[in-house]
């Protein structure tokens, strides 16, 4: 059994997403196995492109299944508190002080990160800097090529 420090914090939605991905892969598996068996029945395997492709597809599915299962095994759902402290699962609206642009992000576990959806990981430079802070505070982010500052405007449980 993994040690508690070995677990990766994740939101409830992220956990459900992993479960859905695993279920979808498990549902596809019998079809991939049937395609492989049919291709194998066509004779000479050394020159059977259909067999090679089916084997590769099944191997890819199995690899994804192992990856998501391992992520789920080490995931620990963290419920955000009802406070104004920046924490995993909460939405944070910030103003970048260099150009005064505003942005809203949800702080999520590493396996949930999706910048296009406004989800940043807690281990990203911005995520690390925001953790534990309150609205009204200004934090400095140490990014690989420069430092910059943001002001925390709002922290909320759900995006309104």
């Amino acid at each position: 059994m993994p040690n508690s420090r070995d677990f990766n914090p994740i939101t409830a939605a992220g956990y459900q997403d992993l479960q859905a991905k695993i279920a979808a892969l498990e549902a596809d598996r019998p079809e991939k196995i049937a395609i492989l068996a049919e291709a194998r029945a066509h004779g000479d395997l050394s020159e059977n492109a259909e067999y090679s492709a089916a084997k590769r597809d099944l191997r890819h599915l199995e690899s994804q299944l192992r990856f998501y299962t391992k992520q789920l095994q080490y995931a620990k759902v963290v419920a955000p508190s009802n406070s104004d402290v920046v924490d995993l699962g909460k939405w944070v609206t910030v103003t970048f002080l260099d150009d005064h642009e505003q942005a809203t992000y949800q702080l999520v576990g590493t396996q949930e990160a999706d910048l296009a959806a406004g989800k940043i990981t807690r281990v990203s430079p911005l995520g690390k800097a925001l953790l534990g802070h309150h609205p009204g505070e200004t934090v400095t982010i140490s990014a690989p090529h420069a430092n910059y500052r943001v002001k925390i405007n709002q922290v909320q449980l759900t995006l309104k």
Side-chain angles (χ1 to χ4, degrees):
M1 183 68 180
N3 203 321
S4 65
R5 70 173 186 262
D6 295 332
F7 285 99
N8 293 318
I10 189 172
T11 65
Y15 192 87
Q16 290 170 350
D17 186 47
L18 281 176
Q19 288 177 317
K21 287 177 181 178
I22 290 170
L25 288 169
E26 287 174 342
D28 285 348
R29 194 168 181 262
E31 179 187 353
K32 299 278 187 198
I33 291 171
I35 291 170
L36 179 63
E38 183 181 324
R40 182 179 294 154
H42 290 155
D44 184 13
L45 301 182
S46 64
E47 294 182 19
N48 188 337
E50 193 177 317
Y51 172 76
S52 296
K55 195 165 116 179
R56 184 182 55 248
D57 288 349
L58 181 60
R59 198 171 40 240
H60 180 67
L61 181 141
E62 296 286 351
S63 175
Q64 285 183 308
L65 193 55
R66 279 191 307 277
F67 176 75
Y68 291 133
T69 300
K70 192 62 83 173
Q71 280 192 328
L72 199 63
Q73 178 184 354
Y74 286 93
K76 179 181 179 191
V77 176
V78 176
S81 65
N82 192 11
S83 69
D84 68 347
V85 176
V86 177
D87 200 5
L88 191 76
K90 292 188 180 172
W91 290 91
V92 184
T93 302
V94 297
T95 300
F96 293 88
L97 297 180
D98 57 349
D99 61 7
H100 301 288
E101 288 206 24
Q102 265 195 12
T104 301
Y105 301 106
Q106 184 182 30
L107 209 59
V108 296
T110 53
Q111 57 273 52
E112 302 172 80
D114 181 358
L115 192 55
K119 295 180 178 191
I120 60 170
T121 175
R122 65 186 182 84
V123 295
S124 66
L126 180 57
K128 270 196 281 192
L130 292 173
L131 266 175
H133 289 280
H134 301 271
E137 291 185 47
T138 299
V139 295
T140 301
I141 293 84
S142 297
H145 298 291
N147 293 339
Y148 59 97
R149 295 168 30 100
V150 298
K151 180 179 180 193
I152 302 171
N153 301 328
Q154 187 176 26
V155 177
Q156 52 196 10
L157 282 173
T158 58
L159 193 57
K160 297 175 186 171

